[in-house]
Amino acid sequence: MVKDIEVGGGERREIAKDYQDPPPSPLFDGEELGKWSFYRALIAEFIATMLFLYITVLTVIGHKSSTVTDDCGGVGLLGIAWAFGGMIFILVYCTAGISGGHINPAVTFGLLLARKLTLPRAILYMVAQCLGAICGVGFVKAFQSGLYNLHGGGANTLQDGYSKGTGLGAEIIGTFVLVYTVFSATDPKRSARDSHIPVLAPLPIGFAVFMVHLATIPVTGTGINPARSFGAAVIFNSKQAWDDHWIFWVGPFIGAAIAAIYHQYILRAGFVKALGSFRSSSNM
């Protein structure tokens, strides 16, 4: 039985636990670069992000084209949110065992800060995700070129009536919700106790994406995924798409960092455990 350390009231106690925390990933691991599983994971992230952008941006374009002639036409804000959340649920379920199912540079960044993967893997994941996003939106434009250009290309932009600070805050909080859910759903403690329900991790992650979209579509169109915002901006390539594009990188990365720190050092008591280990070693 593995022991956990709890520090409180000047006492150091060991508590039995029924799960095993994986060791922190090194910053660099040259050996993984020579493994096929590493490149297979990159391909999985590329394909998953491409499919994610293709389905979701096509849904956005289809909705906007339907509402031109009928205000009640299209899938509505609720349908768009379901498209984003549903695709994340599906794709995380399909790729979690291969690449971890990140499909989002902000998620990758948060996991990097928590030392869940190496720096080279994180960088290449982000590159694969951005390239996949560009290809996914490119397919939308190829199949629906007229409607794509007419209805904004699914690009994230700051909506009228909202300041840059409001947009940045919405992206930070929305990404915090997503990445916090990712950490909680993939926590070794939860995984050990819920291992009989294999869909439990992708489900709350997809639902978090759905809920955040409901809240922030009216503000920024909902980024919370730099690859999604970047791919749409590259293919649509208008001044409007690039004007406030920094919000869709800075906001998600800040939100992911806060979520990683909150989960690892407060909820999982990483800081307290490290302090307890330091005190015990200094008393030897």
Side-chain angles (χ1 to χ4, degrees), residues 208-234:
V209 172
F210 166 70
M211 295 302 296
V212 171
H213 274 76
L214 284 182
T216 59
I217 283 177
V219 183
T220 61
T222 309
I224 68 170
N225 183 335
R228 176 259 186 272
S229 302
F230 181 70
V234 167

Side-chain angles (χ1 to χ4, degrees), residues 5-19:
I5 298 173
E6 184 171 302
V7 180
E11 299 181 356
R12 179 176 179 271
R13 294 176 293 170
E14 290 187 346
I15 303 172
K17 59 181 184 179
D18 58 354
Y19 63 94

